[in-house]
Amino acid sequence: MRKGLKWFLGIVAAVGLLLTLVSLIPSDQWFIRALDMAREPVMWAAIILAIVAVIVLRAGRWVVSGTFVAIAIIQLLRIWPYNQLAGTDIALADPNDEGAQCVTALAVNVKVKNDGYAAVIQQIERVSPDLLLLMETDETWERQLDPVLRQYDYRTQDIQPHAFGMIFASRIPVSGARMVENTSRDTPTLYATVALPNGRRFDFIGLHPKPPIPGMDTEERDANIVRAGTETPNGLPDALVMGDFNDVPWSNTTSRFRKEGDWRDPRIGRGTYPTFPADMTWLGWPLDQVMVRGDMELRDFTVMPANSSDHRAVRTTVCLGDRTAG
């Protein structure tokens, strides 16, 4: 039995190291992109298997356990910025700053086939956000959410029959809002400019691209995601982006999105804040993103409790000081 376990752990270690090295290739191949998403759970699994190898193996224990340690280290290096030992990318705003104008935004992927309408509605009503972004909304979800959406002064939407419909609602003035098929067909991206009572304006982007799936590489989609973060509606220096990126923040694509668009990520230096799957966030898939840029300050960033969807909603409060935008 010990010999069989040795072979099993040895094969798992070898395959794991191979896949880990493949995941480092800067490619748009769908299976390589999928490997990138699993870095955190793979890291913890490798650490556990390294300990198991040391305990149960005799011959070859250090080779097998060392391979698992190497896997864990490679994964850790890629996700290192997203832990509390790394420096933060954005400081939290002073809650006592009376000159700042703040708004609360909530992004919810409702899951189109989900029929737990009441739980989603209750969460929206409990947060009562100033800005609300809803994803995967079909006609049924639009009908179910209509009583909540009627409480908002502004609303725009692109209802889709499958998984990429989008609704945006706001309690504060919005101008120039539009939904375009920026990432691919039938996957709308929201662009809007929001005006605060103190005269400041900022751009808001709602993004929900398709995930990497078998047979569909992501080169064009990735280029469009990056462009979505650099070509904001009115080119305002202050901006907020939210949405289900179907991508992890440490991927090449989301890293390019952040760097080329000069976005700041509240996860950096704080944790990975997984959002998917909603009932197993220990898997460590932070697919739902919030980022800011310019003078935009962050007062809080929260992954919400499960609400019947397969994603957890994300909430943030962002602030701009009392200075008229140029």
Side-chain angles (χ1 to χ4, degrees):
M1 182 176 177
R2 190 182 295 272
K3 185 176 180 181
L5 185 59
K6 174 186 174 181
W7 278 105
F8 172 76
L9 290 174
I11 291 172
V12 171
V15 173
L17 181 60
L18 176 62
L19 292 177
T20 297
L21 294 175
V22 168
S23 75
L24 301 178
I25 299 173
S27 171
D28 65 338
Q29 295 287 320
W30 70 268
F31 63 92
I32 295 179
R33 298 300 309 281
L35 291 172
D36 205 27
M37 292 188 178
R39 295 199 183 280
E40 189 171 10
V42 168
M43 180 189 72
W44 291 116
I47 292 172
I48 293 170
L49 290 174
I51 296 172
V52 170
V54 170
I55 294 173
V56 304
L57 298 184
R58 292 179 181 173
R61 71 168 63 175
W62 300 116
V63 173
V64 174
S65 62
T67 302
F68 282 125
V69 169
I71 293 170
I73 290 174
I74 292 171
Q75 307 296 354
L76 175 62
L77 290 175
R78 291 304 295 264
I79 66 175
W80 173 257
Y82 298 90
N83 78 86
Q84 296 182 5
L85 298 177
T88 59
D89 198 28
I90 177 173
L92 293 180
D94 182 0
N96 298 315
D97 183 1
E98 298 180 357
Q101 188 78 48
C102 301
V103 296
T104 298
L106 181 70
V108 189
N109 182 327
V110 300
K111 184 175 174 57
V112 67
K113 295 181 180 180
N114 173 30
D115 61 1
Y117 310 112
V120 173
I121 291 171
Q122 288 171 7
Q123 188 170 80
I124 295 172
E125 290 180 333
R126 188 161 53 248
V127 175
S128 189
D130 302 296
L131 304 175
L132 175 63
L133 180 71
L134 300 164
M135 294 157 284
E136 294 203 17
T137 46
D138 61 1
E139 291 182 352
T140 302
W141 269 102
E142 177 194 18
R143 198 162 50 247
Q144 293 289 333
L145 292 167
D146 186 65
V148 175
L149 295 170
R150 287 180 181 274
Q151 301 172 22
Y152 288 81
D153 299 324
Y154 178 87
R155 170 177 167 184
T156 187
Q157 60 193 37
D158 186 341
I159 302 301
Q160 300 282 347
H162 302 298
F164 293 93
M166 183 176 286
I167 298 175
F168 172 66
S170 174
R171 288 196 170 101
I172 51 183
V174 172
S175 63
R178 65 189 189 278
M179 290 196 183
V180 300
E181 293 181 346
N182 185 66
T183 53
S184 60
R185 186 173 61 86
D186 300 331
T187 55
T189 296
L190 167 75
Y191 295 99
T193 297
V194 180
L196 297 175
N198 65 2
R200 299 296 296 271
R201 296 188 306 151
F202 66 91
D203 285 339
F204 182 89
I205 300 174
L207 194 60
H208 185 204
K210 293 180 179 178
I213 57 177
M216 184 180 295
D217 296 333
T218 62
E219 181 179 9
E220 181 179 355
R221 188 209 72 162
D222 293 348
N224 284 333
I225 290 174
V226 174
R227 187 166 66 246
T230 57
E231 299 178 3
T232 52
N234 287 309
L236 297 178
D238 307 315
L240 166 66
V241 62
M242 301 182 76
D244 171 12
F245 278 37
N246 273 315
D247 198 14
V248 287
W250 51 78
S251 76
N252 290 331
T253 300
T254 301
S255 295
R256 277 186 58 207
F257 175 94
R258 181 171 54 84
K259 292 175 182 176
E260 295 186 20
D262 199 24
W263 297 98
R264 289 170 289 149
D265 186 346
R267 281 183 167 93
I268 292 179
R270 293 189 172 89
T272 56
Y273 291 88
T275 61
F276 177 88
D279 294 331
M280 295 185 293
T281 52
W282 51 267
L283 284 174
W285 287 359
L287 301 185
D288 301 83
Q289 313 299 330
V290 173
M291 300 185 198
V292 300
R293 74 178 182 194
D295 291 338
M296 187 79 72
E297 296 182 329
L298 187 84
R299 184 158 289 180
D300 64 55
F301 168 68
T302 305
V303 172
M304 302 297 294
N307 62 8
S308 77
S309 175
D310 58 343
H311 285 249
R312 295 200 181 205
V314 291
R315 186 198 73 191
T316 187
T317 301
V318 293
C319 310
L320 280 172
D322 189 9
R323 178 178 61 79
T324 303

